[in-house]
Short mmCIF file of all heavy atoms in Angstrom, two decimals:
data_model
loop_
_atom_site.label_atom_id
_atom_site.label_comp_id
_atom_site.label_asym_id
_atom_site.label_seq_id
_atom_site.Cartn_x
_atom_site.Cartn_y
_atom_site.Cartn_z
N ILE A 1 42.18 -12.09 11.86
CA ILE A 1 43.54 -11.80 11.49
C ILE A 1 44.39 -11.58 12.69
O ILE A 1 44.04 -10.78 13.60
CB ILE A 1 43.55 -10.42 10.68
CG1 ILE A 1 42.64 -10.48 9.45
CG2 ILE A 1 45.00 -10.11 10.26
CD1 ILE A 1 42.52 -9.10 8.72
N GLU A 2 45.41 -12.37 12.72
CA GLU A 2 46.37 -12.33 13.87
C GLU A 2 47.67 -11.56 13.46
O GLU A 2 48.13 -11.68 12.32
CB GLU A 2 46.76 -13.74 14.28
CG GLU A 2 47.69 -13.82 15.48
CD GLU A 2 48.13 -15.25 15.77
OE1 GLU A 2 47.49 -16.17 15.24
OE2 GLU A 2 49.12 -15.42 16.61
N THR A 3 48.21 -10.78 14.28
CA THR A 3 49.38 -10.02 14.05
C THR A 3 50.52 -10.62 14.85
O THR A 3 50.39 -11.04 16.05
CB THR A 3 49.26 -8.48 14.38
OG1 THR A 3 48.99 -8.37 15.70
CG2 THR A 3 48.23 -7.85 13.46
N ARG A 4 51.76 -10.65 14.26
CA ARG A 4 52.94 -11.13 14.97
C ARG A 4 54.18 -10.26 14.59
O ARG A 4 54.39 -9.99 13.45
CB ARG A 4 53.22 -12.58 14.63
CG ARG A 4 52.19 -13.55 15.02
CD ARG A 4 52.52 -15.02 14.67
NE ARG A 4 51.43 -15.88 14.94
CZ ARG A 4 51.42 -17.20 14.59
NH1 ARG A 4 52.52 -17.72 14.04
NH2 ARG A 4 50.38 -17.90 14.85
N LEU A 5 54.95 -9.91 15.63
CA LEU A 5 56.23 -9.21 15.42
C LEU A 5 57.27 -10.30 15.03
O LEU A 5 57.50 -11.14 15.87
CB LEU A 5 56.61 -8.42 16.69
CG LEU A 5 57.87 -7.62 16.55
CD1 LEU A 5 57.57 -6.43 15.66
CD2 LEU A 5 58.24 -7.09 17.97
N SER A 6 57.68 -10.24 13.86
CA SER A 6 58.55 -11.35 13.35
C SER A 6 59.51 -10.85 12.32
O SER A 6 59.20 -10.10 11.44
CB SER A 6 57.61 -12.40 12.71
OG SER A 6 58.37 -13.51 12.21
N ASP A 7 60.76 -11.35 12.43
CA ASP A 7 61.80 -11.20 11.41
C ASP A 7 61.54 -12.25 10.40
O ASP A 7 61.92 -13.39 10.59
CB ASP A 7 63.16 -11.25 12.05
CG ASP A 7 64.22 -10.96 10.99
OD1 ASP A 7 63.93 -10.77 9.80
OD2 ASP A 7 65.42 -11.05 11.38
N GLY A 8 60.90 -11.87 9.33
CA GLY A 8 60.67 -12.94 8.24
C GLY A 8 59.63 -14.02 8.78
O GLY A 8 58.64 -13.64 9.32
N LEU A 9 60.05 -15.27 8.63
CA LEU A 9 59.18 -16.35 9.02
C LEU A 9 59.50 -16.91 10.41
O LEU A 9 58.99 -17.98 10.77
CB LEU A 9 59.36 -17.48 7.96
CG LEU A 9 58.89 -17.11 6.53
CD1 LEU A 9 59.33 -18.22 5.55
CD2 LEU A 9 57.37 -16.96 6.46
N ALA A 10 60.29 -16.14 11.15
CA ALA A 10 60.80 -16.65 12.47
C ALA A 10 59.67 -17.05 13.44
O ALA A 10 59.87 -18.01 14.19
CB ALA A 10 61.72 -15.67 13.04
N LYS A 11 58.58 -16.29 13.45
CA LYS A 11 57.51 -16.53 14.37
C LYS A 11 56.34 -17.36 13.79
O LYS A 11 55.30 -17.38 14.34
CB LYS A 11 57.05 -15.21 14.94
CG LYS A 11 58.04 -14.38 15.74
CD LYS A 11 58.59 -15.14 16.89
CE LYS A 11 59.61 -14.31 17.66
NZ LYS A 11 60.23 -14.98 18.81
N LEU A 12 56.62 -18.06 12.73
CA LEU A 12 55.56 -18.88 12.11
C LEU A 12 55.99 -20.27 12.14
O LEU A 12 57.16 -20.65 11.97
CB LEU A 12 55.50 -18.40 10.59
CG LEU A 12 54.16 -18.81 9.86
CD1 LEU A 12 52.94 -18.13 10.49
CD2 LEU A 12 54.27 -18.49 8.38
N GLU A 13 55.01 -21.17 12.38
CA GLU A 13 55.26 -22.59 12.46
C GLU A 13 54.85 -23.24 11.12
O GLU A 13 53.97 -22.76 10.44
CB GLU A 13 54.39 -23.21 13.63
CG GLU A 13 54.86 -22.78 14.98
CD GLU A 13 56.29 -23.24 15.35
OE1 GLU A 13 56.68 -24.31 14.92
OE2 GLU A 13 56.91 -22.38 16.00
N PRO A 14 55.47 -24.36 10.74
CA PRO A 14 55.15 -25.05 9.51
C PRO A 14 53.67 -25.47 9.50
O PRO A 14 53.20 -25.91 10.51
CB PRO A 14 56.05 -26.26 9.55
CG PRO A 14 57.27 -25.87 10.37
CD PRO A 14 56.71 -24.95 11.38
N GLY A 15 53.04 -25.23 8.41
CA GLY A 15 51.61 -25.63 8.28
C GLY A 15 50.60 -24.61 8.78
O GLY A 15 49.34 -24.80 8.76
N GLU A 16 51.04 -23.42 9.18
CA GLU A 16 50.10 -22.41 9.73
C GLU A 16 49.44 -21.58 8.56
O GLU A 16 48.55 -20.82 8.88
CB GLU A 16 50.81 -21.42 10.73
CG GLU A 16 51.04 -22.02 12.06
CD GLU A 16 51.37 -20.96 13.09
OE1 GLU A 16 52.50 -20.38 13.07
OE2 GLU A 16 50.49 -20.63 13.90
N GLY A 17 49.90 -21.80 7.39
CA GLY A 17 49.33 -21.05 6.29
C GLY A 17 49.44 -21.79 5.04
O GLY A 17 50.20 -22.75 4.86
N ASP A 18 48.60 -21.42 4.01
CA ASP A 18 48.60 -22.06 2.69
C ASP A 18 49.23 -21.12 1.64
O ASP A 18 49.93 -21.65 0.73
CB ASP A 18 47.20 -22.34 2.32
CG ASP A 18 46.44 -23.19 3.28
OD1 ASP A 18 46.91 -24.25 3.69
OD2 ASP A 18 45.38 -22.77 3.75
N THR A 19 49.01 -19.86 1.77
CA THR A 19 49.63 -18.92 0.83
C THR A 19 50.53 -17.97 1.61
O THR A 19 50.12 -17.35 2.56
CB THR A 19 48.48 -18.09 0.15
OG1 THR A 19 47.70 -18.86 -0.61
CG2 THR A 19 49.13 -16.99 -0.75
N LEU A 20 51.80 -17.86 1.12
CA LEU A 20 52.69 -16.91 1.71
C LEU A 20 52.94 -15.75 0.77
O LEU A 20 53.20 -15.94 -0.40
CB LEU A 20 54.07 -17.61 1.95
CG LEU A 20 55.23 -16.68 2.38
CD1 LEU A 20 54.94 -16.09 3.77
CD2 LEU A 20 56.48 -17.45 2.42
N VAL A 21 52.71 -14.53 1.32
CA VAL A 21 52.92 -13.32 0.54
C VAL A 21 54.16 -12.58 1.10
O VAL A 21 54.17 -12.34 2.33
CB VAL A 21 51.68 -12.37 0.51
CG1 VAL A 21 52.01 -11.04 -0.16
CG2 VAL A 21 50.55 -13.05 -0.24
N ILE A 22 55.02 -12.23 0.24
CA ILE A 22 56.12 -11.36 0.65
C ILE A 22 56.29 -10.24 -0.44
O ILE A 22 56.49 -10.59 -1.61
CB ILE A 22 57.48 -12.08 0.76
CG1 ILE A 22 57.36 -13.36 1.60
CG2 ILE A 22 58.49 -11.14 1.40
CD1 ILE A 22 58.68 -14.11 1.75
N ALA A 23 56.10 -9.04 -0.10
CA ALA A 23 56.06 -7.93 -1.07
C ALA A 23 56.73 -6.69 -0.48
O ALA A 23 56.92 -6.53 0.71
CB ALA A 23 54.62 -7.63 -1.48
N GLY A 24 57.16 -5.86 -1.37
CA GLY A 24 57.64 -4.55 -1.01
C GLY A 24 59.03 -4.52 -0.47
O GLY A 24 59.37 -3.65 0.39
N MET A 25 59.91 -5.52 -0.87
CA MET A 25 61.28 -5.47 -0.37
C MET A 25 62.25 -5.96 -1.47
O MET A 25 61.76 -6.52 -2.45
CB MET A 25 61.45 -6.32 0.92
CG MET A 25 61.04 -7.80 0.78
SD MET A 25 61.05 -8.65 2.38
CE MET A 25 59.46 -8.07 3.11
#
């Protein structure tokens, strides 16, 4: 598990994940 300080998806590159979870907002 990697952690990243990120505003939304700003610090993520396309293709780095298969499932995106956004919850609690």
Side-chain angles (χ1 to χ4, degrees):
I1 305 173
E2 181 182 348
T3 59
R4 294 182 191 176
L5 186 66
S6 177
D7 182 1
L9 297 167
K11 298 300 181 182
L12 197 66
E13 295 296 324
E16 283 196 287
D18 307 305
T19 297
L20 173 64
V21 172
I22 312 178
M25 59 188 77

